[in-house]
Coordinates of all heavy atoms in Angstrom, one line a residue:
M19 N -16.4 -134.6 55.8 CA -15.0 -134.8 55.9 C -14.6 -136.2 56.0 O -13.6 -136.7 55.6 CB -14.4 -134.0 57.0 CG -12.9 -134.2 57.2 SD -12.0 -133.1 58.1 CE -12.4 -133.5 59.8
S20 N -15.5 -137.0 56.5 CA -15.2 -138.5 56.7 C -14.9 -139.2 55.4 O -14.1 -140.0 55.3 CB -16.4 -139.1 57.5 OG -16.1 -140.5 57.7
F21 N -15.7 -138.8 54.4 CA -15.5 -139.4 53.1 C -14.0 -139.2 52.6 O -13.4 -140.1 52.1 CB -16.5 -138.9 52.0 CG -16.2 -139.3 50.6 CD1 -16.4 -140.6 50.3 CD2 -15.6 -138.5 49.7 CE1 -16.1 -141.1 49.0 CE2 -15.3 -138.9 48.5 CZ -15.6 -140.2 48.1
E22 N -13.5 -138.0 52.7 CA -12.2 -137.7 52.3 C -11.1 -138.5 53.0 O -10.2 -138.9 52.5 CB -11.9 -136.2 52.3 CG -12.7 -135.3 51.4 CD -14.0 -134.9 51.9 OE1 -14.4 -135.3 53.0 OE2 -14.7 -134.1 51.2
L23 N -11.4 -138.6 54.3 CA -10.4 -139.3 55.2 C -10.4 -140.8 54.8 O -9.4 -141.5 54.8 CB -10.7 -139.1 56.7 CG -10.5 -137.7 57.1 CD1 -11.0 -137.5 58.5 CD2 -9.1 -137.2 57.0
D24 N -11.6 -141.4 54.6 CA -11.7 -142.8 54.2 C -11.0 -143.0 52.9 O -10.3 -144.0 52.7 CB -13.2 -143.2 54.1 CG -13.9 -143.4 55.5 OD1 -13.2 -143.6 56.4 OD2 -15.1 -143.2 55.5
L25 N -11.2 -142.0 52.0 CA -10.6 -142.1 50.7 C -9.1 -142.1 50.8 O -8.4 -142.9 50.2 CB -11.1 -141.0 49.8 CG -10.5 -140.9 48.4 CD1 -10.8 -142.1 47.5 CD2 -10.9 -139.6 47.7
M26 N -8.6 -141.2 51.6 CA -7.1 -141.1 51.8 C -6.6 -142.4 52.4 O -5.6 -143.0 51.9 CB -6.8 -139.9 52.7 CG -5.3 -139.8 53.0 SD -4.3 -139.4 51.5 CE -4.7 -137.7 51.2
K27 N -7.2 -142.9 53.4 CA -6.8 -144.1 54.1 C -6.8 -145.3 53.1 O -5.9 -146.1 53.0 CB -7.6 -144.4 55.3 CG -7.2 -145.7 56.1 CD -8.1 -145.9 57.3 CE -9.4 -146.5 57.0 NZ -9.5 -147.8 56.4
D28 N -7.9 -145.4 52.4 CA -8.1 -146.5 51.4 C -7.0 -146.4 50.3 O -6.5 -147.4 49.8 CB -9.5 -146.5 50.8 CG -10.5 -146.9 51.9 OD1 -10.1 -147.4 53.0 OD2 -11.7 -146.7 51.6
A29 N -6.8 -145.2 49.8 CA -5.8 -145.0 48.8 C -4.4 -145.4 49.2 O -3.7 -146.1 48.5 CB -5.7 -143.5 48.3
I30 N -4.0 -145.1 50.5 CA -2.7 -145.5 51.0 C -2.6 -147.0 51.1 O -1.6 -147.6 50.7 CB -2.5 -144.7 52.3 CG1 -2.3 -143.2 52.1 CG2 -1.3 -145.3 53.1 CD1 -2.3 -142.4 53.4
T31 N -3.6 -147.6 51.7 CA -3.6 -149.0 51.9 C -3.7 -149.8 50.6 O -3.1 -150.9 50.5 CB -4.7 -149.5 52.9 OG1 -5.9 -149.1 52.4 CG2 -4.4 -149.0 54.3
S32 N -4.4 -149.3 49.6 CA -4.5 -150.0 48.3 C -3.2 -150.1 47.5 O -3.1 -151.0 46.7 CB -5.6 -149.4 47.5 OG -5.2 -148.1 47.0
I33 N -2.3 -149.2 47.8 CA -1.0 -149.2 47.1 C 0.0 -149.9 48.0 O 1.2 -149.7 47.8 CB -0.5 -147.9 46.6 CG1 -0.4 -146.9 47.8 CG2 -1.5 -147.3 45.6 CD1 0.2 -145.5 47.4
G34 N -0.4 -150.5 49.1 CA 0.5 -151.3 50.0 C 1.1 -150.4 51.1 O 2.1 -150.8 51.7
G35 N 0.6 -149.2 51.3 CA 1.1 -148.3 52.3 C 0.4 -148.5 53.6 O -0.6 -149.2 53.8
R36 N 1.0 -147.8 54.6 CA 0.4 -147.9 56.0 C 0.6 -146.5 56.6 O 1.7 -145.9 56.5 CB 1.1 -149.0 56.7 CG 0.7 -149.1 58.2 CD 1.5 -150.2 58.9 NE 2.8 -149.7 59.3 CZ 3.8 -150.4 59.4 NH1 3.8 -151.7 59.2 NH2 5.0 -149.9 59.9
I37 N -0.3 -146.1 57.4 CA -0.2 -144.9 58.2 C 0.5 -145.3 59.5 O -0.2 -146.0 60.3 CB -1.5 -144.1 58.4 CG1 -2.1 -143.8 57.0 CG2 -1.4 -142.9 59.3 CD1 -3.6 -143.4 57.1
D38 N 1.7 -144.9 59.7 CA 2.5 -145.3 60.8 C 2.2 -144.5 62.1 O 2.0 -145.1 63.1 CB 4.0 -145.2 60.6 CG 4.5 -146.3 59.6 OD1 3.9 -147.4 59.6 OD2 5.5 -146.0 58.9
R39 N 2.1 -143.2 61.9 CA 1.9 -142.4 63.1 C 1.6 -140.9 62.6 O 1.9 -140.6 61.5 CB 3.1 -142.4 64.0 CG 4.3 -141.8 63.4 CD 5.5 -142.1 64.4 NE 6.8 -141.7 63.7 CZ 7.5 -142.5 62.9 NH1 7.0 -143.7 62.6 NH2 8.6 -142.1 62.4
V40 N 1.1 -140.2 63.5 CA 0.9 -138.7 63.3 C 1.6 -138.0 64.4 O 1.6 -138.4 65.6 CB -0.6 -138.4 63.4 CG1 -0.9 -136.9 63.6 CG2 -1.3 -138.8 62.1
I41 N 2.3 -136.9 64.0 CA 3.1 -136.1 65.0 C 2.6 -134.7 64.9 O 2.7 -134.1 63.8 CB 4.6 -136.2 64.6 CG1 5.0 -137.7 64.6 CG2 5.4 -135.4 65.7 CD1 6.4 -137.8 63.9
V42 N 2.1 -134.2 66.0 CA 1.9 -132.7 66.0 C 3.2 -132.1 66.4 O 3.7 -132.3 67.5 CB 0.8 -132.4 67.1 CG1 0.6 -130.9 67.2 CG2 -0.5 -133.1 66.8
N43 N 3.9 -131.5 65.4 CA 5.3 -131.2 65.6 C 5.6 -129.7 65.8 O 6.8 -129.4 66.1 CB 6.0 -131.7 64.3 CG 5.6 -131.0 63.1 OD1 4.4 -130.8 62.8 ND2 6.6 -130.7 62.2
D44 N 4.7 -128.9 65.6 CA 5.0 -127.5 65.8 C 3.7 -126.7 66.0 O 2.7 -127.2 65.8 CB 5.8 -126.9 64.6 CG 6.7 -125.7 65.0 OD1 6.6 -125.3 66.2 OD2 7.4 -125.2 64.1
A45 N 3.9 -125.5 66.5 CA 2.7 -124.6 66.8 C 3.2 -123.2 66.7 O 4.3 -122.8 67.1 CB 2.1 -125.0 68.1
T46 N 2.3 -122.3 66.3 CA 2.4 -120.9 66.4 C 1.3 -120.4 67.2 O 0.4 -121.1 67.6 CB 2.4 -120.3 65.0 OG1 1.1 -120.4 64.4 CG2 3.5 -120.9 64.1
Q47 N 1.2 -119.1 67.4 CA 0.1 -118.5 68.1 C -1.2 -118.7 67.3 O -2.3 -118.6 67.9 CB 0.3 -117.0 68.3 CG 1.4 -116.7 69.3 CD 1.1 -117.1 70.7 OE1 -0.1 -117.4 71.0 NE2 2.1 -117.2 71.6
R48 N -1.1 -118.9 66.0 CA -2.3 -119.0 65.2 C -2.7 -120.5 64.8 O -3.9 -120.7 64.5 CB -2.1 -118.3 63.9 CG -2.0 -116.8 64.1 CD -2.0 -116.1 62.8 NE -2.7 -116.8 61.7 CZ -2.5 -116.6 60.4 NH1 -1.6 -115.8 60.0 NH2 -3.3 -117.3 59.6
E49 N -1.8 -121.4 64.8 CA -2.1 -122.7 64.3 C -1.1 -123.8 64.8 O 0.0 -123.5 65.2 CB -2.1 -122.8 62.8 CG -0.8 -122.5 62.2 CD -0.8 -122.4 60.7 OE1 -1.8 -122.8 60.1 OE2 0.2 -122.0 60.1
Y50 N -1.6 -125.0 64.8 CA -0.7 -126.2 65.1 C -0.4 -126.8 63.8 O -1.1 -126.6 62.8 CB -1.5 -127.2 66.0 CG -1.7 -126.8 67.4 CD1 -2.8 -126.1 67.8 CD2 -0.7 -127.1 68.3 CE1 -2.9 -125.7 69.1 CE2 -0.8 -126.7 69.7 CZ -2.0 -126.0 70.0 OH -2.1 -125.6 71.3
L51 N 0.7 -127.5 63.7 CA 1.2 -128.1 62.5 C 1.4 -129.6 62.8 O 1.8 -130.0 63.9 CB 2.5 -127.5 62.0 CG 2.5 -125.9 61.9 CD1 3.9 -125.4 61.7 CD2 1.6 -125.5 60.8
A52 N 1.1 -130.4 61.8 CA 1.2 -131.9 62.0 C 1.9 -132.6 60.8 O 1.9 -132.0 59.7 CB -0.1 -132.5 62.3
Q53 N 2.3 -133.8 61.0 CA 2.9 -134.6 60.0 C 2.2 -136.0 60.1 O 2.0 -136.5 61.2 CB 4.4 -134.8 60.2 CG 5.2 -133.5 60.1 CD 6.6 -133.7 60.5 OE1 7.0 -134.6 61.3 NE2 7.5 -132.9 59.9
V54 N 2.0 -136.6 58.9 CA 1.5 -137.9 58.8 C 2.7 -138.8 58.3 O 3.2 -138.4 57.2 CB 0.3 -138.1 57.9 CG1 -0.2 -139.5 57.8 CG2 -0.9 -137.2 58.4
V55 N 3.1 -139.8 59.0 CA 4.2 -140.6 58.5 C 3.6 -141.9 57.9 O 2.8 -142.6 58.5 CB 5.1 -141.0 59.7 CG1 6.3 -141.9 59.2 CG2 5.7 -139.8 60.4
V56 N 3.9 -142.0 56.6 CA 3.3 -143.1 55.8 C 4.5 -144.0 55.4 O 5.5 -143.5 54.9 CB 2.6 -142.6 54.6 CG1 2.0 -143.7 53.7 CG2 1.4 -141.6 55.0
S57 N 4.3 -145.3 55.5 CA 5.4 -146.2 55.0 C 4.8 -147.2 53.9 O 3.6 -147.5 53.9 CB 5.9 -147.0 56.2 OG 5.0 -147.9 56.7
S58 N 5.7 -147.5 53.0 CA 5.4 -148.5 51.9 C 6.7 -149.1 51.4 O 7.6 -148.3 51.2 CB 4.7 -147.7 50.8 OG 4.4 -148.6 49.8
N59 N 6.7 -150.4 51.3 CA 7.9 -151.1 50.8 C 9.1 -150.7 51.5 O 10.2 -150.5 50.9 CB 8.0 -150.8 49.3 CG 6.8 -151.3 48.5 OD1 6.3 -152.4 48.8 ND2 6.4 -150.6 47.5
G60 N 9.1 -150.6 52.8 CA 10.3 -150.3 53.6 C 10.7 -148.9 53.6 O 11.7 -148.5 54.3
E61 N 10.0 -148.0 52.9 CA 10.3 -146.6 52.9 C 9.3 -145.8 53.7 O 8.1 -146.1 53.6 CB 10.4 -146.0 51.5 CG 11.6 -146.3 50.7 CD 11.7 -145.6 49.4 OE1 11.3 -144.4 49.4 OE2 12.1 -146.2 48.4
S62 N 9.7 -144.7 54.4 CA 8.8 -143.9 55.0 C 8.8 -142.5 54.4 O 9.8 -142.0 54.0 CB 9.2 -143.7 56.5 OG 9.0 -144.9 57.2
R63 N 7.6 -141.9 54.3 CA 7.4 -140.6 53.8 C 6.7 -139.7 54.8 O 5.8 -140.3 55.5 CB 6.6 -140.6 52.5 CG 7.2 -141.4 51.4 CD 8.0 -140.6 50.5 NE 8.4 -141.5 49.4 CZ 9.6 -141.3 48.8 NH1 10.4 -140.4 49.1 NH2 9.9 -142.1 47.8
V64 N 7.0 -138.5 54.8 CA 6.3 -137.5 55.8 C 5.5 -136.6 54.9 O 5.9 -136.0 54.0 CB 7.3 -136.8 56.6 CG1 6.6 -135.7 57.5 CG2 8.2 -137.7 57.5
V65 N 4.2 -136.5 55.3 CA 3.2 -135.6 54.6 C 2.8 -134.6 55.6 O 2.3 -134.9 56.7 CB 2.0 -136.5 54.1 CG1 1.0 -135.5 53.4 CG2 2.5 -137.6 53.2
Q66 N 2.9 -133.3 55.2 CA 2.4 -132.2 56.1 C 0.9 -132.2 56.0 O 0.3 -132.4 54.9 CB 3.0 -130.9 55.6 CG 4.5 -130.8 55.5 CD 5.1 -130.9 56.9 OE1 4.6 -130.5 57.9 NE2 6.3 -131.6 57.0
A67 N 0.3 -132.0 57.1 CA -1.2 -132.0 57.2 C -1.7 -131.0 58.2 O -1.0 -130.7 59.2 CB -1.7 -133.4 57.4
R68 N -3.0 -130.6 58.1 CA -3.6 -129.9 59.2 C -3.8 -130.9 60.3 O -4.1 -132.1 60.1 CB -5.0 -129.4 58.7 CG -4.9 -128.3 57.6 CD -6.2 -127.8 57.2 NE -7.1 -128.9 56.7 CZ -8.2 -128.7 56.1 NH1 -8.6 -127.5 55.9 NH2 -8.9 -129.8 55.7
P69 N -3.6 -130.4 61.6 CA -3.7 -131.4 62.7 C -5.0 -132.1 62.8 O -5.0 -133.3 63.1 CB -3.4 -130.5 63.9 CG -2.6 -129.3 63.4 CD -3.1 -129.1 62.0
G70 N -6.1 -131.4 62.6 CA -7.4 -132.0 62.7 C -7.6 -133.2 61.7 O -8.0 -134.2 62.1
D71 N -7.1 -132.9 60.5 CA -7.2 -134.0 59.5 C -6.2 -135.1 59.8 O -6.6 -136.3 59.7 CB -6.8 -133.4 58.1 CG -7.8 -132.4 57.6 OD1 -9.0 -132.5 58.0 OD2 -7.4 -131.6 56.7
A72 N -5.0 -134.8 60.3 CA -4.0 -135.8 60.6 C -4.5 -136.7 61.8 O -4.4 -137.9 61.7 CB -2.7 -135.1 61.0
V73 N -5.0 -136.1 62.8 CA -5.5 -136.8 64.0 C -6.7 -137.7 63.6 O -6.8 -138.9 63.9 CB -5.9 -135.9 65.1 CG1 -6.7 -136.6 66.2 CG2 -4.6 -135.3 65.7
A74 N -7.6 -137.2 62.8 CA -8.8 -138.0 62.4 C -8.3 -139.2 61.5 O -8.8 -140.3 61.6 CB -9.8 -137.1 61.6
L75 N -7.3 -138.9 60.6 CA -6.8 -140.0 59.8 C -6.1 -141.1 60.6 O -6.3 -142.3 60.4 CB -5.8 -139.4 58.8 CG -5.3 -140.4 57.7 CD1 -6.5 -140.9 56.9 CD2 -4.3 -139.6 56.8
A76 N -5.4 -140.7 61.6 CA -4.7 -141.6 62.6 C -5.8 -142.4 63.3 O -5.6 -143.7 63.5 CB -3.8 -140.9 63.5
L77 N -6.8 -141.8 63.8 CA -7.9 -142.5 64.5 C -8.6 -143.6 63.6 O -8.8 -144.7 64.0 CB -8.9 -141.6 65.0 CG -8.4 -140.7 66.2 CD1 -9.5 -139.6 66.5 CD2 -8.1 -141.5 67.4
K78 N -8.8 -143.2 62.3 CA -9.4 -144.1 61.4 C -8.5 -145.3 61.1 O -9.0 -146.4 60.9 CB -9.8 -143.4 60.1 CG -11.0 -142.6 60.2 CD -11.6 -142.2 58.8 CE -12.9 -141.5 59.0 NZ -14.0 -142.4 59.3
A79 N -7.2 -145.0 61.0 CA -6.2 -146.1 60.7 C -5.7 -146.8 61.9 O -5.0 -147.8 61.7 CB -5.0 -145.4 59.9
G80 N -6.1 -146.4 63.1 CA -5.5 -147.0 64.3 C -4.1 -146.8 64.5 O -3.4 -147.6 65.1
A81 N -3.6 -145.6 64.0 CA -2.2 -145.2 64.2 C -2.0 -144.4 65.4 O -2.9 -143.6 65.8 CB -1.7 -144.5 63.0
P82 N -0.9 -144.5 66.1 CA -0.6 -143.6 67.3 C -0.4 -142.2 66.9 O -0.1 -141.8 65.8 CB 0.7 -144.2 67.8 CG 1.4 -144.9 66.7 CD 0.3 -145.3 65.8
I83 N -0.8 -141.3 67.9 CA -0.7 -139.9 67.7 C 0.3 -139.3 68.8 O 0.2 -139.6 69.9 CB -2.0 -139.2 67.9 CG1 -3.0 -139.8 66.9 CG2 -1.9 -137.7 67.8 CD1 -4.5 -139.5 67.2
F84 N 1.3 -138.6 68.3 CA 2.3 -138.0 69.2 C 2.3 -136.5 69.1 O 2.0 -135.9 68.1 CB 3.7 -138.5 68.8 CG 3.9 -140.0 68.9 CD1 3.7 -140.8 67.8 CD2 4.1 -140.6 70.1 CE1 3.8 -142.2 67.8 CE2 4.3 -142.0 70.2 CZ 4.1 -142.8 69.0
V85 N 2.7 -135.9 70.2 CA 2.9 -134.4 70.3 C 4.3 -134.2 70.7 O 4.7 -134.7 71.8 CB 1.9 -133.7 71.2 CG1 2.1 -132.2 71.2 CG2 0.5 -134.1 70.8
E86 N 5.1 -133.4 69.9 CA 6.4 -133.1 70.3 C 6.5 -132.3 71.6 O 5.6 -131.4 71.8 CB 7.2 -132.4 69.2 CG 7.5 -133.4 68.0 CD 8.5 -132.8 67.0 OE1 8.9 -131.7 67.2 OE2 8.7 -133.5 66.0
D87 N 7.6 -132.5 72.3 CA 7.8 -131.8 73.6 C 7.7 -130.3 73.4 O 7.2 -129.6 74.3 CB 9.1 -132.2 74.3 CG 9.0 -133.6 74.9 OD1 7.9 -134.1 75.1 OD2 10.1 -134.2 75.1
K88 N 8.3 -129.8 72.3 CA 8.4 -128.3 72.1 C 7.0 -127.7 72.0 O 6.7 -126.6 72.4 CB 9.2 -127.9 70.9 CG 8.7 -128.3 69.6 CD 9.7 -127.9 68.5 CE 9.2 -128.4 67.1 NZ 10.1 -128.0 66.1
V89 N 6.0 -128.5 71.5 CA 4.6 -128.0 71.4 C 4.0 -128.0 72.8 O 3.4 -127.0 73.2 CB 3.8 -128.9 70.4 CG1 2.4 -128.5 70.4 CG2 4.4 -128.8 69.0
L90 N 4.3 -129.1 73.5 CA 3.7 -129.1 74.9 C 4.4 -128.1 75.8 O 3.7 -127.4 76.6 CB 3.9 -130.5 75.5 CG 3.1 -131.6 74.8 CD1 3.5 -133.0 75.5 CD2 1.7 -131.4 75.0
D91 N 5.7 -127.8 75.6 CA 6.3 -126.8 76.4 C 5.8 -125.4 76.1 O 5.6 -124.6 77.0 CB 7.8 -126.8 76.1 CG 8.6 -128.0 76.6 OD1 8.0 -128.7 77.5 OD2 9.7 -128.3 76.2
K92 N 5.4 -125.2 74.8 CA 4.9 -123.9 74.4 C 3.5 -123.7 74.8 O 3.1 -122.6 75.2 CB 5.1 -123.8 72.9 CG 5.3 -122.3 72.4 CD 5.3 -122.3 70.9 CE 6.6 -122.5 70.2 NZ 6.6 -122.3 68.8
F93 N 2.7 -124.7 74.6 CA 1.2 -124.5 74.7 C 0.5 -125.5 75.7 O -0.7 -125.5 75.8 CB 0.5 -124.6 73.4 CG 0.9 -123.5 72.5 CD1 1.8 -123.7 71.4 CD2 0.5 -122.2 72.7 CE1 2.2 -122.7 70.6 CE2 0.9 -121.1 71.8 CZ 1.8 -121.4 70.8
G94 N 1.3 -126.5 76.2 CA 0.7 -127.5 77.1 C 0.2 -126.9 78.4 O 0.6 -125.8 78.8
T95 N -0.6 -127.7 79.1 CA -1.2 -127.2 80.3 C -0.5 -127.8 81.5 O -0.8 -127.4 82.7 CB -2.7 -127.5 80.4 OG1 -2.9 -128.9 80.3 CG2 -3.4 -126.8 79.2
N96 N 0.3 -128.9 81.3 CA 0.9 -129.6 82.5 C -0.1 -130.0 83.5 O 0.1 -130.0 84.7 CB 2.0 -128.7 83.2 CG 3.2 -128.5 82.3 OD1 3.5 -129.3 81.5 ND2 3.8 -127.3 82.4
G97 N -1.3 -130.4 83.0 CA -2.3 -130.9 83.9 C -3.2 -129.8 84.4 O -4.3 -130.1 85.0
A98 N -2.8 -128.6 84.3 CA -3.6 -127.5 84.9 C -4.9 -127.3 84.1 O -5.9 -126.7 84.6 CB -2.8 -126.2 84.9
G99 N -5.0 -127.8 82.9 CA -6.2 -127.6 82.1 C -7.2 -128.7 82.1 O -8.0 -128.9 81.3
T100 N -7.1 -129.6 83.1 CA -7.9 -130.7 83.3 C -9.4 -130.2 83.5 O -9.7 -129.4 84.2 CB -7.5 -131.6 84.5 OG1 -6.2 -132.0 84.3 CG2 -8.4 -132.8 84.6
I101 N -10.3 -130.9 82.7 CA -11.7 -130.5 82.8 C -12.4 -131.6 83.6 O -12.2 -132.8 83.3 CB -12.3 -130.4 81.4 CG1 -11.6 -129.3 80.7 CG2 -13.8 -130.2 81.5 CD1 -12.0 -129.2 79.2
T102 N -13.1 -131.3 84.6 CA -13.9 -132.2 85.3 C -15.3 -132.2 84.8 O -16.0 -131.2 84.7 CB -14.0 -131.9 86.8 OG1 -12.6 -131.8 87.3 CG2 -14.7 -132.9 87.6
V103 N -15.8 -133.4 84.3 CA -17.1 -133.5 83.7 C -18.1 -134.0 84.8 O -17.8 -135.1 85.3 CB -17.1 -134.4 82.5 CG1 -18.5 -134.6 81.9 CG2 -16.1 -133.9 81.5
P104 N -19.1 -133.3 85.1 CA -20.0 -133.7 86.1 C -20.8 -135.0 85.6 O -21.0 -135.1 84.4 CB -21.0 -132.6 86.3 CG -20.9 -131.8 85.1 CD -19.5 -132.0 84.6
P105 N -21.3 -135.8 86.5 CA -22.0 -137.0 86.0 C -23.3 -136.5 85.4 O -23.9 -135.5 85.7 CB -22.3 -137.8 87.3 CG -22.0 -136.8 88.4 CD -21.1 -135.8 87.9
A106 N -23.7 -137.4 84.4 CA -25.0 -137.1 83.7 C -26.2 -137.2 84.7 O -26.1 -138.0 85.6 CB -25.2 -138.0 82.6
P107 N -27.2 -136.4 84.6 CA -28.3 -136.5 85.5 C -29.0 -137.8 85.2 O -29.0 -138.3 84.1 CB -29.2 -135.3 85.1 CG -28.8 -134.9 83.7 CD -27.3 -135.3 83.6
A108 N -29.6 -138.3 86.3 CA -30.3 -139.6 86.2 C -31.6 -139.4 85.3 O -32.2 -138.4 85.4 CB -30.8 -140.1 87.6
L109 N -31.8 -140.4 84.5 CA -33.0 -140.3 83.6 C -34.2 -140.8 84.4 O -34.2 -141.8 85.2 CB -32.8 -141.2 82.4 CG -31.7 -140.8 81.5 CD1 -31.5 -141.8 80.3 CD2 -31.9 -139.4 80.9
K110 N -35.3 -140.1 84.2 CA -36.6 -140.5 84.9 C -37.3 -141.4 83.9 O -37.4 -141.2 82.7 CB -37.4 -139.3 85.2 CG -36.8 -138.3 86.2 CD -37.6 -137.1 86.4 CE -36.9 -136.2 87.4 NZ -37.7 -135.0 87.7
P111 N -37.8 -142.5 84.5 CA -38.5 -143.4 83.6 C -39.8 -142.8 83.1 O -40.4 -141.9 83.7 CB -38.9 -144.6 84.5 CG -38.7 -144.1 85.9 CD -37.7 -143.0 85.8
D112 N -40.2 -143.1 81.9 CA -41.4 -142.6 81.3 C -42.6 -143.2 82.1 O -42.7 -144.3 82.4 CB -41.6 -143.0 79.8 CG -40.5 -142.3 78.9 OD1 -40.1 -141.3 79.3 OD2 -40.2 -142.9 77.9
T113 N -43.5 -142.3 82.4 CA -44.7 -142.7 83.1 C -45.9 -142.4 82.2 O -46.0 -141.3 81.6 CB -44.9 -142.0 84.4 OG1 -44.8 -140.6 84.2 CG2 -43.8 -142.5 85.4
P114 N -46.8 -143.4 82.1 CA -48.0 -143.1 81.2 C -48.9 -142.1 81.8 O -49.0 -141.8 82.9 CB -48.7 -144.5 81.1 CG -48.0 -145.4 82.0 CD -46.8 -144.7 82.6

């Protein structure tokens, strides 16, 4: 998938465009929905995209990622879903 995202980012920038931001703007019980906001020559366009693709594209382009309040209200955890990651075990040095 990385090749396709690189291709999309490069295609947008080669025509003078820029990926401004990604917005996860809606959700159903089955899927999340996202938009990629692209600007070129002072105009902005909104492209519908799968959230995973949109977020990966934003990360490659260094663009901010937003989630609308209605999505967080519907499916957000309000901090209750925080995961605590235990520290990695200490590595033992190799002994001959």
Side-chain angles (χ1 to χ4, degrees):
M19 176 163 77
S20 180
F21 171 75
E22 291 88 354
L23 296 172
D24 288 335
L25 177 64
M26 179 64 75
K27 181 180 77 66
D28 292 346
I30 291 168
T31 56
S32 72
I33 59 171
R36 176 180 82 209
I37 299 164
D38 287 332
R39 64 189 172 276
V40 162
I41 306 164
V42 178
N43 65 316
D44 204 358
T46 67
Q47 290 293 344
R48 293 185 32 200
E49 64 185 346
Y50 287 90
L51 307 171
Q53 300 174 328
V54 178
V55 180
V56 179
S57 66
S58 178
N59 299 323
E61 281 189 42
S62 292
R63 304 265 187 212
V64 176
V65 179
Q66 302 297 323
R68 295 181 301 193
D71 293 339
V73 167
L75 188 58
L77 292 172
K78 284 195 173 284
I83 302 165
F84 299 96
V85 180
E86 287 192 1
D87 287 339
K88 67 181 178 181
V89 175
L90 293 175
D91 291 343
K92 209 187 270 188
F93 297 104
T95 62
N96 293 328
T100 302
I101 298 171
T102 303
V103 178
L109 297 176
K110 295 180 182 177
D112 292 334
T113 54

